[in-house]
Amino acid sequence: YKVAVEFEDPELQMFYFINRGELFFLQGDYKGAIQLYTKGLELLGTHSFKRYHALTLERIGEVHEAQGNYQGALEHFFSALKMQEELNDRQEIAQLDGAIGWIYAHQRNDSLAIHYATRSLSLMEAVKYKEGIAFANNLMGYIFLKRKDYRKSLDYLTVALKIGQQIGVRRAIVNPIYNIARVYEEQGMFAIALDYQYQAVKLGEEVNNRPDLAIDYNSLGALLIKVKDLAGAKKYLNRAYKLAQELSLPLQLRDNFRNQAMLARSELNYQAAAEYYEQFIALNDSIYDDEVTKRILQLNALYELDNKEQAIQLLNQENLLKQSQLQMQQSKLEFRTGVLVFTVAGILLLLVVVYVLYTYYREKKGANKELSRLNNELFDKNEEIQVQSEELMESNLALSNLNREITEKNEEIQTQSEELIEANRIISSSNERLEEMVKERTLQMKQALLELDTFFYRSSHDFRRPLTTFLGLTEVAKVMVKDATALELFAKVKETAVNLDRMLGKLQSVSHIGSDDLVSMQISFEFEIDVIFNIYSDEIASRKIRFERHVNTSQPFISYPVIIKVILESLIENAIHFSDPTNPWMTVTVVNRKDQLIITVEDNGEGIDPQYSSRIFDMYFRASERSKGNGLGLYIVKKAVERLKGKIDFKSKPHHGTMFTVTLPYQS
């Protein structure tokens, strides 16, 4: 740079600003990078280096993308793309197509993302630029990951990783590894995902691209929460927080607050979880407000553009009107000129005729007759000209009236335009107030739901302490108390406590079903059914119920264990309570057919009266006098099945038994 200044070389100075700006960008100093790129653009404004002008615009777009300003990034990328297309630099065009594809992928605009990603891949293959081919394949894999088409996503990401390993470029390796980890994580294969995620973090630390490293740390921390490695999750989330703060990355800071809230919740630190969640909401609203502000500015610009276009149209109309008036005036002038010429010609002709008559009066009487005839024709022509002149005057009058009507219409349009502007201003003001009210109500609702969830959790634990004490006392009474009446009373106390404990469990189930923090994993139906039968083993033994279990699934089922347990336990509990008093039996079957899992619970018990078949899933409804529950069981089952996007049916015949069938889809 010193040499460039000494020799007053603008090209060398421009290279200095661009290259140093890229260094600042990789170090996370976005403000410094923008300042340096801007100085480079100032030099480019006075020198015709189009290729470097486009390169600088692309670098500024990358800074905006890293900061989450996708609109600003798109504007700079498209400006750079236009210049590169004029230069016909296919490799840079392909690079910009890929950058634009990434922006649309972040904005969930899949159609445009695939369009630009496909263009980028085709051009990269045409110019045989291997690192670019890896870049485009990684982008395609990311798009199909967002669309949950995991097979296609893995195909593209595997190609990208293979090419990156062949050319030995670390950033071409770390990006597909990170996305492959995301694919396995979303499918519930946490062990495989964790292995790839650790590889991505290790390579990312070697490359030291700090913005990408903040993303890697956040993702690894979230994954470690899912596998219950809370200490490791805390370490990497703290690293991500530090980088997001240093680099001013609002999107990564928002995601970090959400992950920190999940970590605190897993550690049962609900106060910290609430604080982190409030920070997440505040930052997310701030990001949303920034986007809304940018959108409003765009709409204002479009509105001003429309007004200018209307003004131009009015000016065009005025010009047309003036041209019409000029044409009319020119027509009048031509008409008058024609009349004058015709009159002069007539006078001359008349003089000639008089001269001829005077000279040849005696010799050519026949000429006199011809002259008389010509005079008659001339008279007729004059009459025709007079009629045409009157018609022209009428046309001029009609045109004048038409111009007056056009002027009145223009005034009406102007008045309506002013009214429309005022109405738009009122609507805009109303929308702003409405958005503020909606945000306030949404925040209050989120806070209420969080408090209600905390109340359910703590209340259930507070209620269970005395219930556990009651149950313990009844067991002690069996050993210490000998009086039969007292033992019978203690048995009643135990039965009441057990029923109350089950009711609390059902209330907790309602909270679990509505929760957004559930963790999905592969379900072992043999294990879940055995746990439930162990809980009710005393009742099954006392009623002498024959039990059969059949589990036959050809592929693993990924879901929420808490919700699956709620469905199985409620259906099995109903089958036990309403079992046949003489020779009871019960069968639980789990099979899969194509892309559906089918669970059936069948018994030969009391059955359901047809008149109640439409109400058995209602809250607090009990169809039988034998029911000792609170009418929540089947209601909770239906809500749980709906949460998993499934359906529940039943067949029943009074005094012959009931069969419930639950159909659940395999999640893609």
Side-chain angles (χ1 to χ4, degrees):
Y1 179 65
K2 291 179 180 178
V3 172
V5 172
E6 181 180 352
F7 287 92
E8 298 181 354
D9 190 331
E11 185 174 2
L12 286 178
Q13 294 180 45
M14 175 200 65
F15 281 131
Y16 164 77
F17 289 129
I18 293 174
N19 293 331
R20 189 165 179 82
E22 186 168 2
L23 176 61
F24 275 38
F25 169 68
L26 292 174
Q27 291 174 333
D29 185 356
Y30 298 135
K31 183 178 179 181
I34 288 290
Q35 290 175 348
L36 288 163
Y37 288 145
T38 304
K39 290 181 179 179
L41 281 180
E42 291 173 358
L43 286 172
L44 287 165
T46 57
H47 297 82
S48 58
F49 302 129
K50 276 193 174 182
R51 188 178 307 280
Y52 302 115
H53 198 152
L55 179 64
T56 307
L57 289 173
E58 181 181 357
R59 294 292 182 268
I60 295 175
E62 290 174 354
V63 176
H64 286 308
E65 180 184 4
Q67 292 178 313
N69 181 6
Y70 296 137
Q71 188 62 35
L74 278 177
E75 291 173 0
H76 285 85
F77 286 151
F78 277 120
S79 298
L81 180 61
K82 183 178 179 180
M83 291 184 177
Q84 294 292 2
E85 286 175 343
E86 292 175 358
L87 297 169
N88 197 27
D89 189 335
R90 294 198 295 170
Q91 182 171 315
E92 287 299 325
I93 292 171
Q95 193 74 25
L96 285 164
D97 282 338
I100 294 169
W102 272 108
I103 298 297
Y104 284 127
H106 291 319
Q107 293 179 331
R108 301 295 180 85
N109 191 336
D110 290 351
S111 58
L112 286 176
I114 291 177
H115 169 73
Y116 282 98
T118 304
R119 276 184 38 166
S120 176
L121 182 58
S122 299
L123 280 174
M124 291 295 188
E125 290 175 343
V127 299
K128 298 180 180 179
Y129 180 42
K130 288 192 174 181
E131 184 177 351
I133 296 171
F135 167 82
N137 275 283
N138 182 57
L139 171 57
M140 293 291 285
Y142 176 82
I143 295 170
F144 283 105
L145 166 61
K146 290 297 182 183
R147 300 182 72 177
K148 298 190 181 302
D149 190 341
Y150 300 124
R151 184 184 61 78
K152 283 188 178 180
S153 178
L154 277 177
D155 289 343
Y156 282 109
L157 294 173
T158 302
V159 172
L161 178 58
K162 184 177 180 181
I163 295 173
Q165 291 171 339
Q166 288 175 354
I167 62 179
V169 177
R170 284 185 293 184
R171 66 180 180 182
I173 299 173
V174 66
N175 292 332
I177 287 179
Y178 170 77
N179 287 325
I180 290 171
R182 293 280 302 280
V183 172
Y184 285 113
E185 180 181 353
E186 289 196 10
Q187 294 182 93
M189 303 177 186
F190 298 134
I192 301 175
L194 198 59
D195 180 58
Y196 278 102
Q197 192 68 61
Y198 274 123
Q199 292 182 46
V201 167
K202 181 180 178 182
L203 285 170
E205 289 173 342
E206 293 175 0
V207 174
N208 197 28
N209 186 331
R210 301 176 76 203
D212 288 347
L213 202 54
I215 298 173
D216 293 342
Y217 286 151
N218 256 334
S219 297
L220 180 54
L223 182 56
L224 288 170
I225 293 173
K226 293 180 180 180
V227 298
K228 307 301 183 184
D229 185 358
L230 303 185
K234 190 168 189 176
K235 179 178 73 173
Y236 286 104
L237 289 179
N238 287 339
R239 291 183 181 179
Y241 173 78
K242 183 177 179 182
L243 279 176
Q245 283 278 40
E246 290 177 0
L247 305 180
S248 298
L249 302 175
L251 296 179
Q252 292 309 312
L253 193 59
R254 178 197 63 184
D255 293 344
N256 186 263
F257 285 148
R258 181 186 58 204
N259 293 335
Q260 292 279 16
M262 292 173 59
L263 174 62
R265 190 183 184 92
S266 299
E267 293 174 337
L268 305 183
N269 187 350
Y270 296 103
Q271 180 64 31
E275 292 174 358
Y276 278 119
Y277 195 70
E278 288 176 358
Q279 291 177 301
F280 163 76
I281 292 173
L283 185 54
N284 192 56
D285 289 345
S286 173
I287 294 171
Y288 173 77
D289 290 342
D290 289 342
E291 293 177 353
V292 169
T293 301
K294 293 171 185 173
R295 183 57 180 164
I296 290 172
L297 291 175
Q298 290 177 355
L299 292 175
N300 286 336
L302 291 174
Y303 176 74
E304 292 176 359
L305 181 61
D306 288 339
N307 287 340
K308 290 179 180 178
E309 289 178 352
Q310 291 179 2
I312 291 171
Q313 290 177 357
L314 289 174
L315 290 174
N316 289 336
Q317 291 177 358
E318 291 177 1
N319 289 334
L320 290 174
L321 182 60
K322 290 179 179 178
Q323 290 176 3
S324 177
Q325 291 174 348
L326 289 173
Q327 289 176 356
M328 288 174 58
Q329 292 175 355
Q330 186 175 1
S331 298
K332 289 180 180 179
L333 183 60
E334 290 176 352
F335 173 74
R336 290 174 181 174
T337 303
V339 170
L340 181 61
V341 170
F342 185 79
T343 303
V344 172
I347 292 171
L348 291 175
L349 180 62
L350 184 60
L351 290 173
V352 171
V353 171
V354 170
Y355 176 77
V356 171
L357 287 173
Y358 180 76
T359 306
Y360 300 103
Y361 174 75
R362 295 180 179 180
E363 291 87 1
K364 295 183 179 179
K365 292 182 178 179
N368 289 333
K369 294 180 181 179
E370 182 67 20
L371 180 60
S372 177
R373 185 182 64 80
L374 290 173
N375 285 333
N376 290 332
E377 289 181 357
L378 181 61
F379 181 77
D380 292 337
K381 291 293 183 181
N382 287 333
E383 287 183 348
E384 290 179 3
I385 291 171
Q386 182 65 29
V387 171
Q388 291 176 356
S389 177
E390 291 175 355
E391 291 177 352
L392 183 59
M393 291 177 64
E394 291 177 356
S395 298
N396 288 337
L397 180 61
L399 183 60
S400 176
N401 293 333
L402 181 60
N403 287 335
R404 186 173 61 256
E405 291 177 359
I406 291 173
T407 302
E408 292 174 354
K409 290 293 182 181
N410 286 336
E411 291 176 354
E412 291 179 5
I413 291 171
Q414 180 65 25
T415 302
Q416 292 174 355
S417 176
E418 292 174 356
E419 292 174 353
L420 182 59
I421 291 171
E422 179 63 21
N424 285 336
R425 186 188 64 77
I426 295 172
I427 291 172
S428 177
S429 177
S430 300
N431 285 340
E432 290 177 359
R433 292 196 299 270
L434 183 60
E435 287 177 358
E436 290 176 0
M437 292 175 63
V438 169
K439 287 194 288 185
E440 182 179 354
R441 294 290 189 274
T442 302
L443 183 61
Q444 292 174 357
M445 181 65 71
K446 290 178 179 178
Q447 181 63 29
L449 290 175
L450 181 62
E451 291 175 357
L452 183 60
D453 191 24
T454 305
F455 172 77
F456 263 121
Y457 181 82
R458 292 184 176 177
S459 297
S460 62
H461 279 271
D462 291 342
F463 275 121
R464 284 195 168 181
R465 290 195 192 99
L467 287 176
T468 305
T469 304
F470 279 138
L471 293 171
L473 290 174
T474 56
E475 295 299 325
V476 172
K478 286 182 181 180
V479 178
M480 299 182 64
V481 178
K482 303 301 181 182
D483 184 82
T485 303
L487 288 173
E488 184 178 355
L489 291 174
F490 273 113
K492 293 293 184 181
V493 170
K494 180 179 180 181
E495 181 181 356
T496 302
V498 169
N499 289 335
L500 183 57
D501 184 59
R502 289 176 181 169
M503 184 184 72
L504 286 174
K506 290 178 180 178
L507 290 176
Q508 275 189 325
S509 299
V510 174
S511 177
H512 288 317
I513 292 170
S515 174
D516 293 330
D517 297 330
L518 298 178
V519 177
S520 60
M521 61 181 62
Q522 183 173 337
I523 305 298
S524 173
F525 286 97
E526 294 91 341
F527 173 76
E528 298 293 345
I529 295 171
D530 289 343
V531 169
I532 295 169
F533 270 89
N534 286 334
I535 294 172
Y536 294 97
S537 59
D538 292 341
E539 288 190 55
I540 293 173
S542 64
R543 296 172 184 260
K544 298 181 180 179
I545 299 174
R546 288 188 295 108
F547 161 67
E548 293 184 5
R549 180 196 70 189
H550 304 289
V551 178
N552 183 16
T553 55
S554 59
Q555 56 180 316
F557 185 73
I558 309 298
S559 186
Y560 306 118
V562 173
I563 297 180
I564 294 296
K565 183 181 178 183
V566 168
I567 296 170
L568 290 171
E569 184 173 356
S570 295
L571 294 178
I572 292 172
E573 181 184 9
N574 275 0
I576 294 171
H577 287 171
F578 299 104
S579 60
D580 184 67
T582 56
N583 185 25
W585 56 266
M586 179 197 321
T587 302
V588 180
T589 305
V590 182
V591 297
N592 68 295
R593 296 175 186 166
K594 295 183 179 179
D595 57 349
Q596 292 182 330
L597 184 89
I598 300 173
I599 303 171
T600 58
V601 178
E602 185 177 6
D603 63 69
N604 65 336
E606 180 180 335
I608 300 171
D609 194 318
Q611 65 176 321
Y612 302 128
S613 60
S614 63
R615 300 179 57 195
I616 63 170
F617 294 109
D618 294 347
M619 185 185 292
Y620 300 121
F621 178 74
R622 294 185 292 181
S624 172
E625 295 179 356
R626 290 180 59 188
S627 176
K628 297 180 181 180
N630 44 32
L632 288 175
L634 290 178
Y635 167 78
I636 293 172
V637 170
K638 186 176 181 182
K639 292 297 180 184
V641 172
E642 289 174 350
R643 172 66 190 275
L644 299 181
K645 299 180 181 179
K647 64 178 182 177
I648 181 169
D649 299 306
F650 73 94
K651 296 179 181 178
S652 182
K653 186 175 182 182
H655 309 298
H656 285 79
T658 303
M659 181 174 71
F660 282 92
T661 302
V662 176
T663 305
L664 302 175
Y666 275 82
Q667 299 298 323
S668 60

